[in-house]
Structure formats: C-alpha cells, structure tokens
Amino acid sequence: MKDSAILITYDKEDAVKEAIALCESAGYDIRKIIRQKFLNRAKYGIGEGKVEELKELVNSLKPDVVIFDEILKPSQNYNLASTLKTNILDREALILQIFERRARSSESILQVKLAQLRYEMSRAKEKVRLAKMGEQPGFMGIGKFEVDVYSNDIKNRMNSVKSKLQKSSRQRELHRQARKRIGFKTVSLAGYTSAGKTTLFNMLTGENKEESPKLFTTLSTTTRKIILQKMEVLISDTVGFISKLPAYMIQAFKSTLEELTYTDIVIVVVDISDSILELRKKFRSCVTTLDEIGVDKDKIIFVLNKSDLVSEEEVNDKADQLALKDNKKWLPISAVTGQNISRLKNLIQQAIEDKPQLNEKNEVPKQEIEINYED
Ligand SMILES: Nc1nc2c(ncn2[C@@H]2O[C@H](COP(=O)(O)OP(=O)(O)O)[C@@H](O)[C@H]2O)c(=O)[nH]1
Ligand SMILES: [Mg+2]
C-alpha cells in the first residue's frame, strides 16, 4: 500500500499541479492539500495559526508524512515534526526520494547518493551552528561533539562515493541494459513534471496493461509494450524535469535520464496550456539538457499535450513561437480525450522506420555482447 501524505504547497495553480505530480512520482497518496501564500515563516515555514489547524488534520487523517513544498531549515523541520508528531519531508528531500526510486545504473545510484549526502551536509552545518550558539543544546538529540563527528562522517562518505563514481563505467552498464532490449525498439517519454507523461503513458499502454512478460518487469515497472501498426515497441516513462531544481541535484537528475541516450525515440511532452513565457523557458531547458546528455535531435518527437485546453489557433501560434515548424517532428495531442493518439502512434512508427539504421543488426557493439556480465 502507498504511504499517505498531507501536502502543503503554494496557492498557485502551477505550483499545486507540480507538487501533486512530484508526490505521485514519489509514490505518495495525497489525502489533503493545504495551499499557502507564504512558506517561509521563521518558526514553522507556515504561520502558527495554520500549524494549529494542521495539528488537528494530522490527528484525524494520520498521514505517514507531511510534505512541505519548499526548503525547510533543520530548525523548522524539527519544530514541525515535534509539534505535529509526524515525519516531515521538505521539497528537496521529496525530489531526492523520486531520484532514488528511479536510479537504476550504479552510476545514477551513486549520483543520487552524493546529492543526498550534500543535502545532509548543508543541514549538518546549521546543526553545528545552532549547537555552537548554545541555543539548542542537544539539538535533535545531538550534542556538539557528535555534530562534529557527524559532519566528518558525511564528508568521508561523500569522498567514498566520489571515488566510486570515478571508477564506475557508465557505458558498460548502458550497453547491458540495451542488450536486454535487443529485438525491441524503445520509446521514452520526457518532459516537465505535470506535463502529462504518465497520463500519456497510460493512454498508450491502456489496452494491454496486464501484459508484463518477465523480461520487461525486470527492466522497470514503468516500461511496457505498445503495439503500433506494424511493430511492437517498449515505452518508458522517465523522471520529469523539475522547476527550481537546486544546482547540487542536476547531476543526479541527469544520470536518471541516461536511458534517453540509447532509446530509439524520445517523446518530449510539452504542456501547451502553459503561458508562452513558461513554455519557452521549459522548452529551452528540455532541449538543452537532452543535448547535453547526448540525445540525438533526430529521434525527438515533440507532443503538445493538453491541447484540449486551448484553441487550435493558440496551439498553432505557440508551435510557431517555439520554432517547431522548422524541421521538427511535432503533434498536438490530448492524453485525456485521446485526440491524435493514433496519429502519434503512426508518427512513432514512421520515425523509427526513417531512422538511419546504421547498425541495426548490431545495436550494441559486438565486443560488448561477448563480455559475460554477472547479473
Ligand atoms: N486537460 C488535460 N489534462 C491533462 C492532460 N494530460 C494530463 N493532464 C493532467 O495533468 C496533470 C499531470 O499529469 P501527469 O500525467 O501526472 O503528468 P506527469 O508529471 O508528466 O506524469 C494531471 O492532473 C492530468 O490529469 C490532457 O491532455 N488534458
Ligand atoms: Mg508522472
């Protein structure tokens, strides 16, 4: 069963949508959403009156966790946890949980571990500071001596992860994963959180939900088979792009996207109901990141999702402004109404057929196939 959560987020539609999608990616079942204009109040992040209300909610709903959609200082986290008597997860801890769930290769597991240690480290410093000021002796049950030991311990663990990272061979592992998929073309969904990736994934795979041969279940729970006109392909949902991603998490995020480099087709899901300003920003960030991790431009299809929410003219106008019309594969769709889904399937098939098949019979370099990996 899923863990349950009360979500505290900003009182803005986009923020709410993103926060919900993040909670869902992390596997939480949201029981209640609290919207607040400010999440930066000194003591608890939220105002004291709201904390009283929250206390009652926690008592009646008994959630496994309260998710706070902003960064909390250790003192704020401690104040909330001790008043509410429940676990508190701030935005960064939530994002790290998502990455942790999705990291597959040893490299991405290490990158996520490193980001988690950085998260702990940035908080260890405040704990040290608080202990030194003598404001909170025995803060969270940790005395000054233990705090120093604690932060040295984090440093040592970071160094050990870093040296493991230097030795890890990403290429080899990617090839092993690719090898498992031989015989199937693969399609991956990318795009911002709440653009509609999971809804589209479910729409595309809806007809054969039960179908999960052993081979695929070992790959991941978010990979399934879909049937196009003339072929069957494997489709995967990936970790979404996240607005306001802290710099220290970028490597961890990118490493969770590594499958995009060997997948045959990347579908970038765009929320066309976003404002043009927002669209431009997100679009640029997607395209740049995909380029940085080495995704071939020719294998990208842009789908303008949620086109049920805007007029045809607006979709066209926005497609123009994103320069999709010069030479890019794109299609307006709705993952909710099913608009253009069969056209999308045709477009995927066509893109796979049109792809230069330089090493079709030998997708994985031969030399790699002969190496005997222990599974
Ligand atoms: N109106 C409309 N809403 C959509 C569409 N696709 C997704 N949504 C909604 O957008 C929200 C986020 O969708 P989700 O699939 O979880 O996004 P993800 O984070 O990219 O996986 C959900 O509330 C969906 O119901 C669409 O085509 N039209
Ligand atoms: Mg999703």
Side-chain angles (χ1 to χ4, degrees), residues 184-185 187 189 200-208 211 216 223-236 267 341 344-345 348-349 352:
F184 286 94
K185 296 293 179 186
V187 177
L189 298 172
L200 178 59
F201 180 82
N202 289 336
M203 172 64 94
L204 285 168
T205 60
E207 311 101 71
N208 55 337
E211 192 137 9
F216 310 139
T223 298
R224 281 199 208 124
K225 196 165 77 176
I226 58 169
I227 300 156
L228 306 176
Q229 262 176 346
K230 290 182 247 158
M231 61 172 90
E232 293 177 343
V233 299
L234 297 182
I235 187 161
S236 309
I267 298 182
I341 295 301
L344 175 60
K345 287 185 173 182
I348 296 170
Q349 165 131 358
I352 290 173

PDB file of all heavy atoms in Angstrom, residues 184-185 187 189 200-208 211 216 223-236 267 341 344-345 348-349 352:
ATOM      1  N   PHE A 184      13.635  -5.266 -29.610  1.00  0.00           N
ATOM      2  CA  PHE A 184      12.558  -4.277 -29.483  1.00  0.00           C
ATOM      3  C   PHE A 184      13.098  -2.877 -29.680  1.00  0.00           C
ATOM      4  O   PHE A 184      14.148  -2.535 -29.163  1.00  0.00           O
ATOM      5  CB  PHE A 184      11.926  -4.334 -28.087  1.00  0.00           C
ATOM      6  CG  PHE A 184      11.050  -5.527 -27.891  1.00  0.00           C
ATOM      7  CD1 PHE A 184      11.556  -6.684 -27.320  1.00  0.00           C
ATOM      8  CD2 PHE A 184       9.721  -5.500 -28.293  1.00  0.00           C
ATOM      9  CE1 PHE A 184      10.758  -7.791 -27.152  1.00  0.00           C
ATOM     10  CE2 PHE A 184       8.912  -6.612 -28.120  1.00  0.00           C
ATOM     11  CZ  PHE A 184       9.434  -7.761 -27.552  1.00  0.00           C
ATOM     12  N   LYS A 185      12.354  -2.087 -30.412  1.00  0.00           N
ATOM     13  CA  LYS A 185      12.663  -0.662 -30.465  1.00  0.00           C
ATOM     14  C   LYS A 185      12.109  -0.052 -29.180  1.00  0.00           C
ATOM     15  O   LYS A 185      11.126  -0.555 -28.610  1.00  0.00           O
ATOM     16  CB  LYS A 185      11.994  -0.021 -31.682  1.00  0.00           C
ATOM     17  CG  LYS A 185      12.510  -0.568 -32.992  1.00  0.00           C
ATOM     18  CD  LYS A 185      13.960  -0.182 -33.200  1.00  0.00           C
ATOM     19  CE  LYS A 185      14.485  -0.758 -34.515  1.00  0.00           C
ATOM     20  NZ  LYS A 185      15.921  -0.506 -34.666  1.00  0.00           N
ATOM     21  N   VAL A 187      10.910   3.481 -26.891  1.00  0.00           N
ATOM     22  CA  VAL A 187      10.420   4.861 -26.908  1.00  0.00           C
ATOM     23  C   VAL A 187      10.404   5.351 -25.465  1.00  0.00           C
ATOM     24  O   VAL A 187       9.971   4.619 -24.572  1.00  0.00           O
ATOM     25  CB  VAL A 187       8.973   4.900 -27.468  1.00  0.00           C
ATOM     26  CG1 VAL A 187       8.413   6.320 -27.432  1.00  0.00           C
ATOM     27  CG2 VAL A 187       8.914   4.328 -28.877  1.00  0.00           C
ATOM     28  N   LEU A 189       9.420   8.636 -22.721  1.00  0.00           N
ATOM     29  CA  LEU A 189       8.707   9.892 -22.539  1.00  0.00           C
ATOM     30  C   LEU A 189       9.529  10.814 -21.653  1.00  0.00           C
ATOM     31  O   LEU A 189       9.961  10.411 -20.568  1.00  0.00           O
ATOM     32  CB  LEU A 189       7.360   9.640 -21.855  1.00  0.00           C
ATOM     33  CG  LEU A 189       6.378   8.756 -22.616  1.00  0.00           C
ATOM     34  CD1 LEU A 189       5.177   8.428 -21.740  1.00  0.00           C
ATOM     35  CD2 LEU A 189       5.921   9.466 -23.884  1.00  0.00           C
ATOM     36  N   LEU A 200      -0.222  10.112 -20.569  1.00  0.00           N
ATOM     37  CA  LEU A 200       0.014   9.649 -21.936  1.00  0.00           C
ATOM     38  C   LEU A 200       0.495   8.192 -21.944  1.00  0.00           C
ATOM     39  O   LEU A 200       0.042   7.385 -22.766  1.00  0.00           O
ATOM     40  CB  LEU A 200       1.046  10.557 -22.633  1.00  0.00           C
ATOM     41  CG  LEU A 200       1.425  10.164 -24.068  1.00  0.00           C
ATOM     42  CD1 LEU A 200       0.206  10.152 -24.987  1.00  0.00           C
ATOM     43  CD2 LEU A 200       2.497  11.097 -24.620  1.00  0.00           C
ATOM     44  N   PHE A 201       1.383   7.879 -21.024  1.00  0.00           N
ATOM     45  CA  PHE A 201       1.881   6.500 -20.893  1.00  0.00           C
ATOM     46  C   PHE A 201       0.713   5.542 -20.689  1.00  0.00           C
ATOM     47  O   PHE A 201       0.605   4.511 -21.356  1.00  0.00           O
ATOM     48  CB  PHE A 201       2.855   6.437 -19.703  1.00  0.00           C
ATOM     49  CG  PHE A 201       3.435   5.077 -19.445  1.00  0.00           C
ATOM     50  CD1 PHE A 201       4.522   4.614 -20.176  1.00  0.00           C
ATOM     51  CD2 PHE A 201       2.915   4.265 -18.447  1.00  0.00           C
ATOM     52  CE1 PHE A 201       5.072   3.370 -19.918  1.00  0.00           C
ATOM     53  CE2 PHE A 201       3.463   3.015 -18.188  1.00  0.00           C
ATOM     54  CZ  PHE A 201       4.541   2.563 -18.927  1.00  0.00           C
ATOM     55  N   ASN A 202      -0.188   5.914 -19.783  1.00  0.00           N
ATOM     56  CA  ASN A 202      -1.347   5.066 -19.511  1.00  0.00           C
ATOM     57  C   ASN A 202      -2.275   4.983 -20.708  1.00  0.00           C
ATOM     58  O   ASN A 202      -2.821   3.921 -21.019  1.00  0.00           O
ATOM     59  CB  ASN A 202      -2.116   5.574 -18.289  1.00  0.00           C
ATOM     60  CG  ASN A 202      -1.337   5.341 -17.011  1.00  0.00           C
ATOM     61  OD1 ASN A 202      -0.484   4.462 -16.939  1.00  0.00           O
ATOM     62  ND2 ASN A 202      -1.604   6.162 -16.000  1.00  0.00           N
ATOM     63  N   MET A 203      -2.450   6.089 -21.402  1.00  0.00           N
ATOM     64  CA  MET A 203      -3.295   6.110 -22.589  1.00  0.00           C
ATOM     65  C   MET A 203      -2.715   5.197 -23.675  1.00  0.00           C
ATOM     66  O   MET A 203      -3.417   4.412 -24.292  1.00  0.00           O
ATOM     67  CB  MET A 203      -3.409   7.566 -23.090  1.00  0.00           C
ATOM     68  CG  MET A 203      -4.077   7.764 -24.414  1.00  0.00           C
ATOM     69  SD  MET A 203      -5.831   7.288 -24.459  1.00  0.00           S
ATOM     70  CE  MET A 203      -6.648   8.832 -24.103  1.00  0.00           C
ATOM     71  N   LEU A 204      -1.400   5.294 -23.866  1.00  0.00           N
ATOM     72  CA  LEU A 204      -0.763   4.499 -24.922  1.00  0.00           C
ATOM     73  C   LEU A 204      -0.710   3.014 -24.582  1.00  0.00           C
ATOM     74  O   LEU A 204      -0.752   2.168 -25.466  1.00  0.00           O
ATOM     75  CB  LEU A 204       0.664   5.002 -25.178  1.00  0.00           C
ATOM     76  CG  LEU A 204       0.802   6.312 -25.959  1.00  0.00           C
ATOM     77  CD1 LEU A 204       2.228   6.822 -25.886  1.00  0.00           C
ATOM     78  CD2 LEU A 204       0.376   6.129 -27.419  1.00  0.00           C
ATOM     79  N   THR A 205      -0.586   2.702 -23.312  1.00  0.00           N
ATOM     80  CA  THR A 205      -0.431   1.302 -22.932  1.00  0.00           C
ATOM     81  C   THR A 205      -1.732   0.708 -22.395  1.00  0.00           C
ATOM     82  O   THR A 205      -1.774  -0.461 -22.052  1.00  0.00           O
ATOM     83  CB  THR A 205       0.652   1.136 -21.839  1.00  0.00           C
ATOM     84  OG1 THR A 205       0.259   1.899 -20.700  1.00  0.00           O
ATOM     85  CG2 THR A 205       2.006   1.611 -22.318  1.00  0.00           C
ATOM     86  N   GLY A 206      -2.766   1.538 -22.359  1.00  0.00           N
ATOM     87  CA  GLY A 206      -4.026   1.151 -21.747  1.00  0.00           C
ATOM     88  C   GLY A 206      -4.586  -0.182 -22.190  1.00  0.00           C
ATOM     89  O   GLY A 206      -5.059  -0.965 -21.362  1.00  0.00           O
ATOM     90  N   GLU A 207      -4.445  -0.473 -23.473  1.00  0.00           N
ATOM     91  CA  GLU A 207      -5.088  -1.683 -23.999  1.00  0.00           C
ATOM     92  C   GLU A 207      -4.434  -2.964 -23.503  1.00  0.00           C
ATOM     93  O   GLU A 207      -5.050  -4.007 -23.476  1.00  0.00           O
ATOM     94  CB  GLU A 207      -5.076  -1.696 -25.540  1.00  0.00           C
ATOM     95  CG  GLU A 207      -5.547  -0.429 -26.195  1.00  0.00           C
ATOM     96  CD  GLU A 207      -4.378   0.406 -26.657  1.00  0.00           C
ATOM     97  OE1 GLU A 207      -3.724  -0.004 -27.634  1.00  0.00           O
ATOM     98  OE2 GLU A 207      -4.130   1.458 -26.067  1.00  0.00           O
ATOM     99  N   ASN A 208      -3.160  -2.876 -23.145  1.00  0.00           N
ATOM    100  CA  ASN A 208      -2.520  -4.120 -22.709  1.00  0.00           C
ATOM    101  C   ASN A 208      -1.791  -3.976 -21.376  1.00  0.00           C
ATOM    102  O   ASN A 208      -0.631  -4.264 -21.235  1.00  0.00           O
ATOM    103  CB  ASN A 208      -1.572  -4.656 -23.785  1.00  0.00           C
ATOM    104  CG  ASN A 208      -0.552  -3.624 -24.197  1.00  0.00           C
ATOM    105  OD1 ASN A 208      -0.781  -2.434 -24.033  1.00  0.00           O
ATOM    106  ND2 ASN A 208       0.572  -4.074 -24.699  1.00  0.00           N
ATOM    107  N   GLU A 211      -0.289  -7.072 -19.703  1.00  0.00           N
ATOM    108  CA  GLU A 211       0.845  -7.700 -20.358  1.00  0.00           C
ATOM    109  C   GLU A 211       2.177  -7.242 -19.770  1.00  0.00           C
ATOM    110  O   GLU A 211       2.598  -6.132 -19.999  1.00  0.00           O
ATOM    111  CB  GLU A 211       0.813  -7.349 -21.845  1.00  0.00           C
ATOM    112  CG  GLU A 211       1.757  -8.175 -22.657  1.00  0.00           C
ATOM    113  CD  GLU A 211       1.097  -8.639 -23.949  1.00  0.00           C
ATOM    114  OE1 GLU A 211      -0.015  -8.171 -24.247  1.00  0.00           O
ATOM    115  OE2 GLU A 211       1.696  -9.448 -24.630  1.00  0.00           O
ATOM    116  N   PHE A 216      10.365  -7.704 -19.266  1.00  0.00           N
ATOM    117  CA  PHE A 216      10.117  -6.272 -19.122  1.00  0.00           C
ATOM    118  C   PHE A 216      10.005  -5.864 -17.662  1.00  0.00           C
ATOM    119  O   PHE A 216      10.434  -4.799 -17.287  1.00  0.00           O
ATOM    120  CB  PHE A 216       8.858  -5.868 -19.871  1.00  0.00           C
ATOM    121  CG  PHE A 216       8.839  -6.372 -21.268  1.00  0.00           C
ATOM    122  CD1 PHE A 216       7.675  -6.879 -21.835  1.00  0.00           C
ATOM    123  CD2 PHE A 216      10.002  -6.363 -22.030  1.00  0.00           C
ATOM    124  CE1 PHE A 216       7.676  -7.355 -23.137  1.00  0.00           C
ATOM    125  CE2 PHE A 216      10.016  -6.841 -23.325  1.00  0.00           C
ATOM    126  CZ  PHE A 216       8.841  -7.341 -23.877  1.00  0.00           C
ATOM    127  N   THR A 223       8.088   0.494 -17.654  1.00  0.00           N
ATOM    128  CA  THR A 223       8.286   0.142 -19.063  1.00  0.00           C
ATOM    129  C   THR A 223       7.222  -0.870 -19.466  1.00  0.00           C
ATOM    130  O   THR A 223       7.006  -1.843 -18.758  1.00  0.00           O
ATOM    131  CB  THR A 223       9.684  -0.469 -19.298  1.00  0.00           C
ATOM    132  OG1 THR A 223      10.662   0.496 -18.958  1.00  0.00           O
ATOM    133  CG2 THR A 223       9.871  -0.878 -20.743  1.00  0.00           C
ATOM    134  N   ARG A 224       6.546  -0.603 -20.578  1.00  0.00           N
ATOM    135  CA  ARG A 224       5.551  -1.555 -21.074  1.00  0.00           C
ATOM    136  C   ARG A 224       5.611  -1.636 -22.586  1.00  0.00           C
ATOM    137  O   ARG A 224       6.212  -0.812 -23.248  1.00  0.00           O
ATOM    138  CB  ARG A 224       4.135  -1.114 -20.663  1.00  0.00           C
ATOM    139  CG  ARG A 224       3.817  -1.462 -19.236  1.00  0.00           C
ATOM    140  CD  ARG A 224       2.321  -1.443 -19.013  1.00  0.00           C
ATOM    141  NE  ARG A 224       2.067  -1.110 -17.622  1.00  0.00           N
ATOM    142  CZ  ARG A 224       1.324  -0.095 -17.226  1.00  0.00           C
ATOM    143  NH1 ARG A 224       0.739   0.679 -18.104  1.00  0.00           N
ATOM    144  NH2 ARG A 224       1.157   0.136 -15.942  1.00  0.00           N
ATOM    145  N   LYS A 225       4.890  -2.634 -23.074  1.00  0.00           N
ATOM    146  CA  LYS A 225       4.884  -2.830 -24.517  1.00  0.00           C
ATOM    147  C   LYS A 225       3.683  -2.104 -25.118  1.00  0.00           C
ATOM    148  O   LYS A 225       2.606  -2.113 -24.543  1.00  0.00           O
ATOM    149  CB  LYS A 225       4.761  -4.334 -24.779  1.00  0.00           C
ATOM    150  CG  LYS A 225       5.110  -4.739 -26.166  1.00  0.00           C
ATOM    151  CD  LYS A 225       5.321  -6.242 -26.231  1.00  0.00           C
ATOM    152  CE  LYS A 225       3.981  -6.979 -26.238  1.00  0.00           C
ATOM    153  NZ  LYS A 225       4.169  -8.436 -26.386  1.00  0.00           N
ATOM    154  N   ILE A 226       3.881  -1.436 -26.263  1.00  0.00           N
ATOM    155  CA  ILE A 226       2.719  -0.935 -27.002  1.00  0.00           C
ATOM    156  C   ILE A 226       2.768  -1.474 -28.430  1.00  0.00           C
ATOM    157  O   ILE A 226       3.831  -1.787 -28.956  1.00  0.00           O
ATOM    158  CB  ILE A 226       2.590   0.609 -27.034  1.00  0.00           C
ATOM    159  CG1 ILE A 226       3.827   1.268 -27.637  1.00  0.00           C
ATOM    160  CG2 ILE A 226       2.271   1.164 -25.688  1.00  0.00           C
ATOM    161  CD1 ILE A 226       3.621   2.756 -27.936  1.00  0.00           C
ATOM    162  N   ILE A 227       1.594  -1.600 -29.014  1.00  0.00           N
ATOM    163  CA  ILE A 227       1.501  -2.146 -30.357  1.00  0.00           C
ATOM    164  C   ILE A 227       1.188  -1.030 -31.337  1.00  0.00           C
ATOM    165  O   ILE A 227       0.165  -0.366 -31.225  1.00  0.00           O
ATOM    166  CB  ILE A 227       0.428  -3.249 -30.407  1.00  0.00           C
ATOM    167  CG1 ILE A 227       0.814  -4.359 -29.418  1.00  0.00           C
ATOM    168  CG2 ILE A 227       0.283  -3.816 -31.822  1.00  0.00           C
ATOM    169  CD1 ILE A 227      -0.361  -5.181 -28.942  1.00  0.00           C
ATOM    170  N   LEU A 228       2.110  -0.800 -32.269  1.00  0.00           N
ATOM    171  CA  LEU A 228       1.872   0.177 -33.331  1.00  0.00           C
ATOM    172  C   LEU A 228       1.275  -0.575 -34.514  1.00  0.00           C
ATOM    173  O   LEU A 228       0.956  -1.752 -34.398  1.00  0.00           O
ATOM    174  CB  LEU A 228       3.193   0.862 -33.710  1.00  0.00           C
ATOM    175  CG  LEU A 228       3.955   1.498 -32.543  1.00  0.00           C
ATOM    176  CD1 LEU A 228       5.280   2.045 -33.024  1.00  0.00           C
ATOM    177  CD2 LEU A 228       3.128   2.614 -31.899  1.00  0.00           C
ATOM    178  N   GLN A 229       1.163   0.083 -35.650  1.00  0.00           N
ATOM    179  CA  GLN A 229       0.596  -0.608 -36.815  1.00  0.00           C
ATOM    180  C   GLN A 229       1.318  -1.898 -37.161  1.00  0.00           C
ATOM    181  O   GLN A 229       0.729  -2.948 -37.291  1.00  0.00           O
ATOM    182  CB  GLN A 229       0.676   0.322 -38.024  1.00  0.00           C
ATOM    183  CG  GLN A 229      -0.601   1.043 -38.295  1.00  0.00           C
ATOM    184  CD  GLN A 229      -0.387   2.014 -39.442  1.00  0.00           C
ATOM    185  OE1 GLN A 229       0.746   2.311 -39.824  1.00  0.00           O
ATOM    186  NE2 GLN A 229      -1.472   2.499 -39.987  1.00  0.00           N
ATOM    187  N   LYS A 230       2.639  -1.751 -37.317  1.00  0.00           N
ATOM    188  CA  LYS A 230       3.386  -2.896 -37.831  1.00  0.00           C
ATOM    189  C   LYS A 230       4.386  -3.458 -36.849  1.00  0.00           C
ATOM    190  O   LYS A 230       5.097  -4.392 -37.158  1.00  0.00           O
ATOM    191  CB  LYS A 230       4.136  -2.482 -39.116  1.00  0.00           C
ATOM    192  CG  LYS A 230       3.223  -2.231 -40.299  1.00  0.00           C
ATOM    193  CD  LYS A 230       4.039  -1.886 -41.531  1.00  0.00           C
ATOM    194  CE  LYS A 230       3.788  -0.449 -41.942  1.00  0.00           C
ATOM    195  NZ  LYS A 230       4.854   0.115 -42.757  1.00  0.00           N
ATOM    196  N   MET A 231       4.503  -2.856 -35.710  1.00  0.00           N
ATOM    197  CA  MET A 231       5.520  -3.363 -34.783  1.00  0.00           C
ATOM    198  C   MET A 231       5.134  -3.145 -33.326  1.00  0.00           C
ATOM    199  O   MET A 231       4.243  -2.366 -33.017  1.00  0.00           O
ATOM    200  CB  MET A 231       6.869  -2.695 -35.071  1.00  0.00           C
ATOM    201  CG  MET A 231       6.855  -1.186 -34.896  1.00  0.00           C
ATOM    202  SD  MET A 231       8.506  -0.486 -35.035  1.00  0.00           S
ATOM    203  CE  MET A 231       8.602  -0.153 -36.782  1.00  0.00           C
ATOM    204  N   GLU A 232       5.820  -3.898 -32.484  1.00  0.00           N
ATOM    205  CA  GLU A 232       5.661  -3.701 -31.053  1.00  0.00           C
ATOM    206  C   GLU A 232       6.898  -2.972 -30.547  1.00  0.00           C
ATOM    207  O   GLU A 232       8.009  -3.280 -30.963  1.00  0.00           O
ATOM    208  CB  GLU A 232       5.563  -5.054 -30.350  1.00  0.00           C
ATOM    209  CG  GLU A 232       4.318  -5.805 -30.697  1.00  0.00           C
ATOM    210  CD  GLU A 232       4.286  -7.173 -30.044  1.00  0.00           C
ATOM    211  OE1 GLU A 232       5.347  -7.650 -29.595  1.00  0.00           O
ATOM    212  OE2 GLU A 232       3.199  -7.758 -29.999  1.00  0.00           O
ATOM    213  N   VAL A 233       6.689  -2.005 -29.690  1.00  0.00           N
ATOM    214  CA  VAL A 233       7.828  -1.287 -29.125  1.00  0.00           C
ATOM    215  C   VAL A 233       7.675  -1.240 -27.604  1.00  0.00           C
ATOM    216  O   VAL A 233       6.590  -1.443 -27.075  1.00  0.00           O
ATOM    217  CB  VAL A 233       7.936   0.164 -29.671  1.00  0.00           C
ATOM    218  CG1 VAL A 233       8.128   0.175 -31.178  1.00  0.00           C
ATOM    219  CG2 VAL A 233       6.712   0.989 -29.292  1.00  0.00           C
ATOM    220  N   LEU A 234       8.789  -0.986 -26.928  1.00  0.00           N
ATOM    221  CA  LEU A 234       8.739  -0.805 -25.484  1.00  0.00           C
ATOM    222  C   LEU A 234       8.702   0.691 -25.197  1.00  0.00           C
ATOM    223  O   LEU A 234       9.467   1.457 -25.762  1.00  0.00           O
ATOM    224  CB  LEU A 234       9.979  -1.397 -24.817  1.00  0.00           C
ATOM    225  CG  LEU A 234      10.181  -2.893 -24.942  1.00  0.00           C
ATOM    226  CD1 LEU A 234      11.438  -3.315 -24.168  1.00  0.00           C
ATOM    227  CD2 LEU A 234       8.968  -3.645 -24.408  1.00  0.00           C
ATOM    228  N   ILE A 235       7.806   1.085 -24.314  1.00  0.00           N
ATOM    229  CA  ILE A 235       7.734   2.501 -23.972  1.00  0.00           C
ATOM    230  C   ILE A 235       8.008   2.687 -22.480  1.00  0.00           C
ATOM    231  O   ILE A 235       7.579   1.872 -21.657  1.00  0.00           O
ATOM    232  CB  ILE A 235       6.373   3.113 -24.388  1.00  0.00           C
ATOM    233  CG1 ILE A 235       6.385   4.624 -24.181  1.00  0.00           C
ATOM    234  CG2 ILE A 235       5.205   2.475 -23.657  1.00  0.00           C
ATOM    235  CD1 ILE A 235       5.306   5.355 -24.952  1.00  0.00           C
ATOM    236  N   SER A 236       8.758   3.725 -22.136  1.00  0.00           N
ATOM    237  CA  SER A 236       9.087   4.000 -20.735  1.00  0.00           C
ATOM    238  C   SER A 236       8.744   5.431 -20.356  1.00  0.00           C
ATOM    239  O   SER A 236       8.924   6.351 -21.139  1.00  0.00           O
ATOM    240  CB  SER A 236      10.587   3.836 -20.471  1.00  0.00           C
ATOM    241  OG  SER A 236      11.048   2.622 -20.933  1.00  0.00           O
ATOM    242  N   ILE A 267      10.026  11.019 -26.815  1.00  0.00           N
ATOM    243  CA  ILE A 267       8.863  11.887 -26.951  1.00  0.00           C
ATOM    244  C   ILE A 267       8.949  12.947 -25.859  1.00  0.00           C
ATOM    245  O   ILE A 267       8.924  12.631 -24.671  1.00  0.00           O
ATOM    246  CB  ILE A 267       7.549  11.092 -26.803  1.00  0.00           C
ATOM    247  CG1 ILE A 267       7.462  10.041 -27.911  1.00  0.00           C
ATOM    248  CG2 ILE A 267       6.340  12.031 -26.854  1.00  0.00           C
ATOM    249  CD1 ILE A 267       6.187   9.233 -27.876  1.00  0.00           C
ATOM    250  N   ILE A 341      -4.060  10.471 -30.708  1.00  0.00           N
ATOM    251  CA  ILE A 341      -3.218   9.400 -30.175  1.00  0.00           C
ATOM    252  C   ILE A 341      -2.854   8.386 -31.263  1.00  0.00           C
ATOM    253  O   ILE A 341      -1.718   7.927 -31.338  1.00  0.00           O
ATOM    254  CB  ILE A 341      -3.881   8.694 -28.961  1.00  0.00           C
ATOM    255  CG1 ILE A 341      -4.026   9.677 -27.789  1.00  0.00           C
ATOM    256  CG2 ILE A 341      -3.081   7.472 -28.514  1.00  0.00           C
ATOM    257  CD1 ILE A 341      -2.729  10.275 -27.288  1.00  0.00           C
ATOM    258  N   LEU A 344      -0.249   9.861 -33.316  1.00  0.00           N
ATOM    259  CA  LEU A 344       1.036   9.802 -32.612  1.00  0.00           C
ATOM    260  C   LEU A 344       1.697   8.437 -32.806  1.00  0.00           C
ATOM    261  O   LEU A 344       2.888   8.343 -33.087  1.00  0.00           O
ATOM    262  CB  LEU A 344       0.845  10.097 -31.114  1.00  0.00           C
ATOM    263  CG  LEU A 344       2.106   9.953 -30.246  1.00  0.00           C
ATOM    264  CD1 LEU A 344       3.220  10.899 -30.699  1.00  0.00           C
ATOM    265  CD2 LEU A 344       1.788  10.213 -28.772  1.00  0.00           C
ATOM    266  N   LYS A 345       0.868   7.384 -32.698  1.00  0.00           N
ATOM    267  CA  LYS A 345       1.423   6.042 -32.898  1.00  0.00           C
ATOM    268  C   LYS A 345       2.024   5.898 -34.298  1.00  0.00           C
ATOM    269  O   LYS A 345       3.086   5.303 -34.467  1.00  0.00           O
ATOM    270  CB  LYS A 345       0.352   4.982 -32.660  1.00  0.00           C
ATOM    271  CG  LYS A 345       0.004   4.799 -31.192  1.00  0.00           C
ATOM    272  CD  LYS A 345      -0.971   3.648 -31.040  1.00  0.00           C
ATOM    273  CE  LYS A 345      -1.217   3.331 -29.574  1.00  0.00           C
ATOM    274  NZ  LYS A 345      -2.116   2.179 -29.418  1.00  0.00           N
ATOM    275  N   ILE A 348       5.315   7.737 -34.452  1.00  0.00           N
ATOM    276  CA  ILE A 348       6.394   6.991 -33.785  1.00  0.00           C
ATOM    277  C   ILE A 348       6.922   5.913 -34.728  1.00  0.00           C
ATOM    278  O   ILE A 348       8.124   5.779 -34.953  1.00  0.00           O
ATOM    279  CB  ILE A 348       5.896   6.323 -32.471  1.00  0.00           C
ATOM    280  CG1 ILE A 348       5.478   7.375 -31.437  1.00  0.00           C
ATOM    281  CG2 ILE A 348       6.984   5.419 -31.877  1.00  0.00           C
ATOM    282  CD1 ILE A 348       4.752   6.805 -30.216  1.00  0.00           C
ATOM    283  N   GLN A 349       5.963   5.176 -35.317  1.00  0.00           N
ATOM    284  CA  GLN A 349       6.352   4.108 -36.236  1.00  0.00           C
ATOM    285  C   GLN A 349       7.186   4.652 -37.396  1.00  0.00           C
ATOM    286  O   GLN A 349       8.224   4.115 -37.751  1.00  0.00           O
ATOM    287  CB  GLN A 349       5.084   3.430 -36.760  1.00  0.00           C
ATOM    288  CG  GLN A 349       5.335   2.564 -37.961  1.00  0.00           C
ATOM    289  CD  GLN A 349       4.713   1.188 -37.822  1.00  0.00           C
ATOM    290  OE1 GLN A 349       4.118   0.837 -36.815  1.00  0.00           O
ATOM    291  NE2 GLN A 349       4.871   0.401 -38.847  1.00  0.00           N
ATOM    292  N   ILE A 352      10.657   5.678 -36.378  1.00  0.00           N
ATOM    293  CA  ILE A 352      11.536   4.523 -36.204  1.00  0.00           C
ATOM    294  C   ILE A 352      11.985   4.001 -37.564  1.00  0.00           C
ATOM    295  O   ILE A 352      13.158   3.717 -37.777  1.00  0.00           O
ATOM    296  CB  ILE A 352      10.825   3.398 -35.409  1.00  0.00           C
ATOM    297  CG1 ILE A 352      10.641   3.836 -33.947  1.00  0.00           C
ATOM    298  CG2 ILE A 352      11.623   2.094 -35.475  1.00  0.00           C
ATOM    299  CD1 ILE A 352       9.814   2.882 -33.103  1.00  0.00           C
TER     300      ILE A 352
END
